[in-house]
Amino acid sequence: WGEPIRRHLDVKPCLSSWKDIVIPGHTDYARIEYMRKQNKPAEDRRLLMTFHGRSPGTHAGYGDCAVRGAIMGLNRHGPHVDVGGFVMDYPERKGD
């Protein structure tokens, strides 16, 4: 279009502590039930944190989302951190 994409997006601060930790933005009943089945007890989990989705560098509309960009940099902290782009097995990873 010849214009910055930011002009066409309603960009707000990326961190919302009530949703960015555990609860996805849109979750229907069937997905909630599936996610509950994947939920392991804390002592059986191998992951400390996981995030998979858009971030700076993966989509032009997320270039100013500093929190998501910082989260992507956490992957270097070892095998208990799982971050990256979209994956098909995200509910399984969230429960692990």
Side-chain angles (χ1 to χ4, degrees):
W1 294 338
E3 297 180 46
I5 193 167
R6 183 175 171 93
R7 180 171 177 214
H8 301 283
L9 296 175
D10 185 15
V11 178
K12 294 185 175 16
C14 294
L15 178 66
S16 295
S17 61
W18 63 270
K19 78 171 184 62
D20 283 345
I21 294 173
V22 176
I23 304 170
H26 170 74
T27 308
D28 57 46
Y29 181 77
R31 187 167 175 92
I32 290 170
E33 289 302 306
Y34 184 75
M35 289 173 69
R36 283 187 178 141
K37 290 178 184 174
Q38 308 308 314
N39 188 21
K40 295 180 181 178
E43 61 272 9
D44 294 340
R45 290 181 179 220
R46 65 179 185 89
L47 296 175
L48 176 62
M49 68 154 293
T50 182
F51 171 81
H52 286 272
R54 290 190 177 104
S55 63
T58 63
H59 188 278
Y62 290 80
D64 293 332
C65 293
V67 172
R68 288 183 183 215
I71 289 171
M72 291 304 187
L74 295 174
N75 216 18
R76 67 181 181 277
H77 290 290
H80 300 293
V81 178
D82 178 40
V83 298
F86 287 109
V87 292
M88 296 302 296
D89 63 341
Y90 193 53
E92 291 84 354
R93 292 178 188 216
K94 289 294 282 185
D96 194 8

